[in-house]
């Protein structure tokens, strides 16, 4: 068997690094083969380390390409299974999101050890853990509390979860001998060890010591460990110095020893065996695993701790004593009681030692090996075989966030996270898009809330239309026009929504209003110069002509402005660049989409040819990775240049969904049906960072996909883009299945009739 293990690794100073090292040692000893496991190590903050030979690949924390290369390396390494040591803070991107790139590209079974499980995760943290949970074949945790959290908060199936407790290296020392060697004879030794940071609560112990020392003058409290590297980077030794100052104020110079070093494992265990009482005074309950606590219990130390989650669980059955967070008086009382009652102290030591026999690294390593052997028999399927058109797990359609963004004026264009940003006011662009969404929601789902929203958005369109038929775009929260903007994009999107309203108006009054507004704007359509202004208008005119097919004036305009797109395509495209412009920028799918709509009315083969030719080129650019990766707005994609990967926008994804839907409708080719679903899955995590942009808490959609995570703002454009895409995909899925069922029923009748005959 060959195992790949991903994590931090010595000489990096880190608790996970020590864990990874000990896990590897136990596996090597079991198989008696150093080649049985290799390490993929994680560097931090530009640091480099002199790794031993078992480290075969190094990932630089903030370099996302390294994660993809690591996945490829592991896949080609011959490894049968991969173990990932997960902890927030050691992987790159927002909340360590880059690790998803690696695990999503692995082709061998995956085991994940969670060293922390959060009770109240952020949006990104929860999404990352859920994604890991979906892709991992087995998840290992070190406490029952972690199992409870993962199943209830993150919806990870319990069948995937397994408890393997934190391993403890095997050392056997005599306490008296250790005390003598460390010059601790005749001392009652209290110990806390680990990387020092200001959540460790060391000040609680220092405040408790004066009362303890007054009764037991031979007490010595040792704080063993370097300051955490992250703390040093941000605040130097401020915390340690504050502790030293506090000890001086209490006149405890002779009763506290600060050892500012990361000692080797053998010396650490000599300190542990020399200890009478081990203390973990952490300040927060939210610690699901503590390696230092596991070591202390494993060596048979009597432990006194605050009731953080791991301590409350592991110190049960009289393996230790608990005191409340920050309660130095309770701590001093417990310490005095234990020191004054050697028999009671020994009872806790004995119970801890008995428990520690079951958690040695050789035993825990064997448990990992059992899981590896079991999973090595699995064959993980490559992701392209997954069904793209499965609606299982797609969130239910919900207008909750749109209601939050909409007031009696219209829909507010931006938000801070999920909270409307009133300072940015309103724009016609978004209200036209909101009108389109509301009409679709009522048409497809008979959603009464959507119907109630229609007049709000429609009256906004009316208010923003100028006397000459063109439109203003921006309105501040005081309902004052500002930022003079003759946006052709805005104009085109408004024509689109009005055309759709005319075609699918739920009430005649809305139809008549929409028709009046659109006809008033018609003289400006022929004057449009920008490709997207033209394209959006084309879609609106096409919808209008579905309702009024004999309007010769609009048919003429449709033919003329379609010709503008065809002409631009002929001018800009060549054998390698099949596009309308010298660069691909934003909302690209709207251009082929518009021609597909125009073809539906005009039935011009040239229009269809250009539509499919440009669609195919856009498809090749956007799906070269096997999933949708739209052109990023941070530089776009110039001819003969590099395609920018980030920042990706929801508006681009919506255009792709609609484009493939219309192509499927026009051609009946199932490849477009599949691409439509693939594009929609971008919202749900099938993207470059493998993280969803849809927020289950707000029912909104995040504003974009950046290189290190999602833009958590949830403005109107992105949320409406998601909802329009959702409506199109779900309706198409429903219609397609009904058609398939009808065809199956016809086939059954034919076969039944044949058999009867």
């Amino acid at each position: 068997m060959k195992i790949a293990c991903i994590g931090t690794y010595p000489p990096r100073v880190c608790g996970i690094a020590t864990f990874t090292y000990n896990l590897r040692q136990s596996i090597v000893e079991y198989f008696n083969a150093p080649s049985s496991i290799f390490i993929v190590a994680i560097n931090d903050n530009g640091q480099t380390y002199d790794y031993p030979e078992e480290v075969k690949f190094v990932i630089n924390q903030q370099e996302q390409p390294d994660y993809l290369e690591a996945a490829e390396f592991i896949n080609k390494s011959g490894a049968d299974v991969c173990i990932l040591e997960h902890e927030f803070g050691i992987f790159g991107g927002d909340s360590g999101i880059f690790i998803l790139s690696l695990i999503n590209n692995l082709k061998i079974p995956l085991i994940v050890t969670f060293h922390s499980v959060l009770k109240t995760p952020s949006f990104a943290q929860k999404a990352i853990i859920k994604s890991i949970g979906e892709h991992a074949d087995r998840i290992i945790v070190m406490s029952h509390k972690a199992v409870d959290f993962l199943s209830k908060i993150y919806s990870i199936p319990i069948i995937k979860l397994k408890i393997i407790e934190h391993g403890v290296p095997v050392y056997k020392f005599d306490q008296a001998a250790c005390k003598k060697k460390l010059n601790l004879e005749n001392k009652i030794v209290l110990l806390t060890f680990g990387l020092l940071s200001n959540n460790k609560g060391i000040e609680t112990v220092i405040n408790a010591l004066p009362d303890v020392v007054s009764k037991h003058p031979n007490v010595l409290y040792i704080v063993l460990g370097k300051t955490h590297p992250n703390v040093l980077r941000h605040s130097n030794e401020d915390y340690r110095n504050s502790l030293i100052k506090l000890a001086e104020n209490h006149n405890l110079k002779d009763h506290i020893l600060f050892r500012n070093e990361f000692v080797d494992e053998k010396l650490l265990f000599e300190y542990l065996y020399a200890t009478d009482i081990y203390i973990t005074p952490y300040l927060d309950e939210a610690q699901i695993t503590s390696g230092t606590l596991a070591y202390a219990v494993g060596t048979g130390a009597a432990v006194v701790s605050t009731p953080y989650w791991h301590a409350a669980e592991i110190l049960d059955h009289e393996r230790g004593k608990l005191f409340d967070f920050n309660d130095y008086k309770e701590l001093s009382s417990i310490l005095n009681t234990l020191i004054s009652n050697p028999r009671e102290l020994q009872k806790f030591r004995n119970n801890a030692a008995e428990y520690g026999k079951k958690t040695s690294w050789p035993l825990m390593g064997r448990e990992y090996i059992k899981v590896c052997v079991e999973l090595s028999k699995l064959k993980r399927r490559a992701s392209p075989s997954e069904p793209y058109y499965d609606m299982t797990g797609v969130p239910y359609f919900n207008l909750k966030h749109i209601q939050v963004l909409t007031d009696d004026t219209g829909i507010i264009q931006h938000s801070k996270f999920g909270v409307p940003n009133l300072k940015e006011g309103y724009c016609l662009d978004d209200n036209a898009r909101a009108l389109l969404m509301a009409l679709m929601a009522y048409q497809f789902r008979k959603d009464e809330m959507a119907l109630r929203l229609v007049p709000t958005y429609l009256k906004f369109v009316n208010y923003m239309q100028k006397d000459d038929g063109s439109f203003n775009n921006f309105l501040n929260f005081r309902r004052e026009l500002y930022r003079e903007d003759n946006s052709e994009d805005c104009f085109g999107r408004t024509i689109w929504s009005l055309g759709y309203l005319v075609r699918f108006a739920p009430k005649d009054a809305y139809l008549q209003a929409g028709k009046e507004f659109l006809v008033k704007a018609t003289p400006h359509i022929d004057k449009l110069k920008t490709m997207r202004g033209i394209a959006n208008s084309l879609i609106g005119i096409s919808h209008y002509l579905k309702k009024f097919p004999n309007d010769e004036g609009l048919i003429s305009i449709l033919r003329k402005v379609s010709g503008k797109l065809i002409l631009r395509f002929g001018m800009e495209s060549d054998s390698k660049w099949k596009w309308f412009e010298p660069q691909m920028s934003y909302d690209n799918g709207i251009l082929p989409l518009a021609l597909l709509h125009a073809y539906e009315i005009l039935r011009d083969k040239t229009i269809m040819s250009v539509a499919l030719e440009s669609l195919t080129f856009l498809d090749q650019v956007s799906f070269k990775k096997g999933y949708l990766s739209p052109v990023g707005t941070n530089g776009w994609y110039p001819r003969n240049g590099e395609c920018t990967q980030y920042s990706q926008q929801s508006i681009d994804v919506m255009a792709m969904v609609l484009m493939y839907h219309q192509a499927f409708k026009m051609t009946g080719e199932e490849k477009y049906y599949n691409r439509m679903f693939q594009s929609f899955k971008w919202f749900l995590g099938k993207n470059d960072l493998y993280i969803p942009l849809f927020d289950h808490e707000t029912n909104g959609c995040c504003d974009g996909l950046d290189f290190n995570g999602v833009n958590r703002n949830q403005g109107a454009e992105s949320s409406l883009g998601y909802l329009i895409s959702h409506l199109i995909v779900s309706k198409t899925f429903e219609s397609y299945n009904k058609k398939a069922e009808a065809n199956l029923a016809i086939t059954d009748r034919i076969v039944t009739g044949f058999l009867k005959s």
Side-chain angles (χ1 to χ4, degrees):
M1 169 169 284
K2 188 174 184 180
I3 301 168
C5 186
I6 306 167
T8 57
Y9 202 72
R12 180 173 172 179
V13 176
C14 169
I16 306 299
T18 302
F19 183 95
T20 307
Y21 173 82
N22 283 319
L23 174 61
R24 178 188 177 274
Q25 289 297 105
S26 64
I27 291 173
V28 167
E29 289 170 10
Y30 179 86
F31 287 111
N32 193 27
S35 61
S36 58
I37 177 171
F38 68 88
I39 306 298
V40 174
I42 314 295
N43 283 353
D44 60 320
N45 295 296
Q47 302 293 314
T48 57
Y49 301 94
D50 185 16
Y51 289 115
E53 63 179 356
E54 59 263 26
V55 174
K56 302 300 182 184
F57 193 95
V58 176
I59 295 173
N60 293 297
Q61 183 183 25
Q62 298 299 341
E63 298 294 327
Q64 192 198 9
D66 287 5
Y67 294 82
L68 297 171
E69 292 174 18
E72 184 177 5
F73 177 84
I74 293 169
N75 290 334
K76 293 178 178 179
S77 69
D80 301 291
V81 66
C82 179
I83 301 174
L84 169 67
E85 305 300 334
H86 184 272
E87 172 71 275
F88 288 113
I90 65 175
F91 302 112
D94 182 15
S95 300
I97 194 173
F98 289 170
I99 194 60
L100 298 184
S101 304
L102 194 160
I103 66 174
N104 274 269
N105 285 281
L106 275 182
K107 295 180 181 179
I108 59 175
L110 175 65
I111 301 166
V112 178
T113 305
F114 281 133
H115 290 265
S116 64
V117 181
L118 304 179
K119 186 178 182 180
T120 54
S122 68
F123 172 86
Q125 289 167 338
K126 186 172 184 178
I128 290 166
I129 296 301
K130 285 173 71 73
S131 182
I132 292 174
E134 290 169 3
H135 287 85
D137 298 284
R138 190 75 78 250
I139 292 172
I140 294 171
V141 292
M142 303 175 204
S143 68
H144 292 89
K145 178 75 77 173
V147 171
D148 186 54
F149 284 176
L150 289 173
S151 61
K152 293 179 180 177
I153 299 171
Y154 301 90
S155 304
I156 296 176
I158 288 181
I159 195 171
K160 279 192 174 186
L161 306 176
K162 182 178 179 61
I163 296 177
I164 300 178
E165 298 194 62
H166 197 297
V168 179
V170 178
Y171 289 94
K172 292 296 179 184
F173 295 118
D174 175 74
Q175 185 181 46
C178 288
K179 282 192 173 186
K180 183 176 181 180
K181 180 179 178 181
L182 298 170
N183 296 317
L184 299 174
E185 293 175 285
N186 303 316
K187 296 289 186 183
I188 298 170
V189 178
L190 315 180
L191 175 68
T192 298
F193 87 88
L195 294 172
L196 200 61
S197 60
N198 56 13
N199 65 342
K200 296 298 185 182
I202 306 298
E203 61 273 17
T204 306
V205 185
I206 296 174
N207 286 327
L209 280 180
D211 185 53
V212 177
V213 169
S214 68
K215 297 178 177 62
H216 306 282
N218 58 337
V219 161
L220 177 66
Y221 178 45
I222 301 174
V223 180
L224 176 62
K226 293 182 67 173
T227 301
H228 197 289
N230 290 338
V231 174
L232 280 175
R233 272 191 287 271
H234 293 99
S235 55
N236 297 315
E237 290 287 10
D238 291 353
Y239 179 60
R240 182 183 296 274
N241 291 335
S242 72
L243 296 176
I244 293 171
K245 182 67 175 177
L246 181 62
E248 291 173 352
N249 291 342
H250 283 305
N251 297 313
L252 293 171
K253 181 180 178 182
D254 296 329
H255 298 280
I256 296 182
L257 173 63
F258 290 96
R259 286 206 60 175
N260 186 7
E261 58 181 306
F262 192 83
V263 299
D264 65 51
E265 194 172 82
K266 179 175 178 293
L267 180 55
L268 169 62
F269 274 81
E270 287 174 341
Y271 271 102
L272 281 167
Y273 274 97
T275 298
D276 294 288
I277 300 174
Y278 186 79
I279 308 174
T280 52
Y282 303 157
L283 300 178
D284 186 0
E285 69 170 356
Q287 185 156 340
I288 209 80
T289 302
S290 170
T292 64
L293 178 65
Y295 278 20
V297 173
T299 57
V303 179
V304 178
S305 176
T306 50
Y308 58 90
W309 294 326
H310 196 201
E313 190 168 314
I314 202 172
L315 297 183
D316 198 11
H317 304 292
E318 295 192 312
R319 298 190 195 107
K321 295 282 287 184
L322 300 175
F323 67 98
D324 202 10
F325 299 103
N326 286 306
D327 194 339
Y328 69 89
K329 291 183 179 180
E330 185 183 8
L331 173 58
S332 64
S333 175
I334 291 172
L335 292 174
N336 281 326
T337 299
L338 288 177
I339 294 169
S340 300
N341 294 274
R343 187 173 296 178
E344 178 85 353
L345 184 63
Q346 192 58 45
K347 178 184 72 174
F348 286 118
R349 291 176 62 85
N350 292 341
N351 291 343
E354 191 64 28
Y355 178 81
K357 292 177 183 177
K358 305 171 186 176
T359 61
S360 69
W361 258 120
L363 295 178
M364 297 302 96
R366 244 174 256 174
E367 292 299 310
Y368 274 88
I369 291 167
K370 288 179 185 177
V371 178
C372 290
V373 170
E374 174 193 349
L375 295 182
S376 67
K377 300 172 185 176
L378 298 178
K379 297 293 183 183
R380 299 190 77 197
R381 292 189 297 175
S383 56
S385 64
E386 298 172 1
Y388 296 115
Y389 39 84
D390 181 7
M391 292 294 287
T392 304
V394 174
Y396 188 73
F397 182 83
N398 191 306
L399 291 174
K400 176 182 173 183
H401 186 58
I402 299 304
Q403 288 177 264
V404 170
L405 290 177
T406 302
D407 61 16
D408 60 351
T409 299
I411 193 165
I412 294 164
Q413 63 176 324
H414 294 303
S415 77
K416 289 291 186 182
F417 300 95
V419 180
N421 185 0
L422 305 183
K423 296 177 182 178
E424 298 293 334
Y426 317 83
C427 70
L428 179 58
D429 229 354
D430 287 333
N431 278 272
R433 195 180 286 112
L435 175 61
L436 176 64
M437 183 280 299
L439 291 166
M440 292 173 64
Y442 186 71
Q443 177 197 354
F444 295 162
R445 309 179 65 87
K446 298 305 176 194
D447 191 304
E448 291 296 330
M449 173 52 65
L451 183 60
R452 289 195 292 272
L453 290 172
V454 167
T456 299
Y457 305 134
L458 187 54
K459 71 182 181 183
F460 191 93
V461 173
N462 179 32
Y463 183 73
M464 300 300 279
Q465 189 166 33
K466 303 177 186 179
D467 292 339
D468 67 355
S470 62
F471 297 95
N472 292 303
N473 193 10
F474 296 104
L475 192 73
N476 67 25
F477 191 63
R478 295 186 297 274
R479 299 185 181 181
E480 299 167 341
L481 295 171
Y482 76 107
R483 284 173 61 187
E484 186 66 29
D485 186 348
N486 296 312
S487 167
E488 291 194 3
D489 282 17
C490 168
F491 179 91
R493 291 188 184 112
T494 306
I495 297 300
W496 179 357
S497 67
L498 292 174
Y500 197 90
L501 172 63
V502 169
R503 182 179 179 185
F504 296 110
K507 297 180 181 181
D508 182 67
Y510 298 161
L511 185 154
Q512 299 304 329
K515 184 179 179 182
E516 178 181 312
F517 302 156
L518 189 148
V519 170
K520 188 177 179 181
T522 299
H524 297 277
I525 296 175
D526 189 34
K527 302 173 186 176
L528 296 172
K529 295 182 174 59
T530 64
M531 292 294 95
R532 283 152 193 81
I534 291 170
N536 282 286
S537 299
L538 273 177
I539 298 170
I541 297 170
S542 299
H543 282 303
Y544 181 94
L545 288 171
K546 280 287 188 177
K547 183 72 174 180
F548 299 105
N550 298 319
D551 190 320
E552 293 296 335
L554 276 179
I555 290 174
S556 176
I557 290 175
L558 179 66
R559 195 179 303 278
K560 189 173 183 179
V561 292
S562 297
K564 290 184 179 181
L565 287 184
I566 301 298
L567 180 63
R568 283 293 296 273
F569 184 82
M571 292 170 58
E572 295 292 347
S573 66
D574 55 36
S575 59
K576 295 181 180 179
W577 184 261
K578 301 293 185 180
W579 199 241
F580 305 86
E581 300 165 302
Q583 68 176 2
M584 279 187 169
S585 54
Y586 66 98
D587 206 9
N588 295 302
I590 210 74
L591 303 180
L593 171 64
L595 291 179
L596 289 167
H597 275 284
Y599 171 77
E600 190 174 6
I601 302 297
L602 301 174
R603 296 294 167 174
D604 184 317
K605 291 183 179 179
T606 301
I607 291 176
M608 187 61 161
S609 175
V610 172
L612 293 181
E613 199 171 354
S614 58
L615 181 154
T616 300
F617 181 66
L618 177 58
D619 180 272
Q620 292 168 351
V621 171
S622 304
F623 277 93
K624 58 182 177 292
K625 300 176 183 177
Y627 54 83
L628 180 63
S629 180
V631 175
T633 63
N634 188 23
W636 295 333
Y637 179 26
R639 188 202 312 258
N640 301 321
E642 293 293 323
C643 183
T644 302
Q645 187 173 3
Y646 303 106
S647 298
Q648 299 173 16
Q649 305 293 312
S650 298
I651 187 176
D652 289 277
V653 181
M654 182 190 83
M656 299 295 280
V657 169
L658 295 174
M659 178 188 74
Y660 289 120
H661 166 259
Q662 188 68 10
F664 174 61
K665 182 180 175 182
M666 291 294 96
T667 67
E669 294 186 31
E670 192 165 328
K671 65 181 180 181
Y672 298 127
Y673 178 78
N674 293 340
R675 280 294 202 233
M676 177 188 66
F677 272 91
Q678 285 178 279
S679 298
F680 178 66
K681 290 294 180 74
W682 180 92
F683 292 107
L684 305 179
K686 200 69 176 179
N687 51 50
D688 281 296
L689 292 182
Y690 303 94
I691 191 168
L693 283 87
F694 176 77
D695 187 336
H696 289 268
E697 290 185 351
T698 65
N699 288 282
C701 179
C702 296
D703 276 354
L705 192 71
D706 297 325
F707 80 97
N708 65 339
V710 298
N711 180 338
R712 286 295 315 284
N713 295 328
Q714 297 170 19
E717 179 182 285
S718 55
S719 294
L720 290 167
Y722 165 77
L723 290 171
I724 290 171
S725 300
H726 188 295
L727 287 164
I728 287 292
V729 167
S730 56
K731 181 63 176 178
T732 310
F733 179 76
E734 179 184 313
S735 302
Y736 186 74
N737 280 1
K738 284 181 179 178
K739 183 178 179 181
E741 289 170 4
N743 291 338
L744 184 61
I746 293 170
T747 302
D748 286 344
R749 286 199 297 271
I750 293 171
V751 172
T752 302
F754 174 77
L755 292 174
K756 285 182 178 179
S757 66

